[in-house]
Amino acid sequence: MRPAPLLFEPPEAVAEAEHFFDLESIEDPRELLARSTELALAFRAAADRAVEFQAVAAAQLADPRRFDRLPTAAIAEQAEWSEDYTRKMVEFGRGLLRGSRTAE
């Protein structure tokens, strides 16, 4: 089977001005400050949570009980971290995993 021929040219994609959560459309500086602060706090919380997930994943990948465990250097390379930082993240992740087991 062959694709059906086009009977018209698709419209060219129009480059739209960049929008960042519509902050550029807020004219009231108080509202802009409130909304941008709210976003900054949300992104900060999301970044902190993502780091916790990175640490848990690093700890799981380095777990000596796993047959497919990765050495610290391999985890560091994959995550684009230094080996020293990777060791700290593995320990942090192990602490998080221990905490989640005791909470269950």
Side-chain angles (χ1 to χ4, degrees):
M1 292 187 90
R2 293 182 7 195
L6 291 177
L7 300 176
F8 63 93
E9 282 295 315
E12 193 171 315
V14 177
E16 200 173 303
E18 186 177 329
H19 296 287
F20 189 74
F21 295 91
D22 281 334
L23 292 178
E24 65 284 337
S25 67
I26 300 174
E27 294 183 20
D28 178 15
R30 288 185 178 142
E31 184 181 345
L32 179 59
L33 178 62
R35 180 70 178 131
S36 59
T37 301
E38 181 181 278
L39 283 169
L41 292 173
F43 285 130
R44 202 171 297 141
D48 290 346
R49 192 75 174 117
V51 168
E52 289 176 356
F53 278 103
Q54 284 181 311
V56 166
Q60 290 172 334
L61 289 170
D63 189 341
R65 296 171 296 183
R66 290 176 59 114
F67 76 93
D68 61 345
R69 99 174 174 86
L70 293 177
T72 307
I75 298 169
E77 182 180 336
Q78 184 175 342
E80 298 180 7
W81 297 333
S82 69
E83 284 194 57
D84 186 48
Y85 184 76
T86 302
R87 283 189 289 277
K88 291 177 183 178
M89 286 295 277
V90 167
E91 286 307 310
F92 178 49
R94 287 177 178 155
L96 291 171
L97 288 170
R98 278 191 299 272
S100 69
R101 285 191 197 113
T102 58
E104 292 174 353

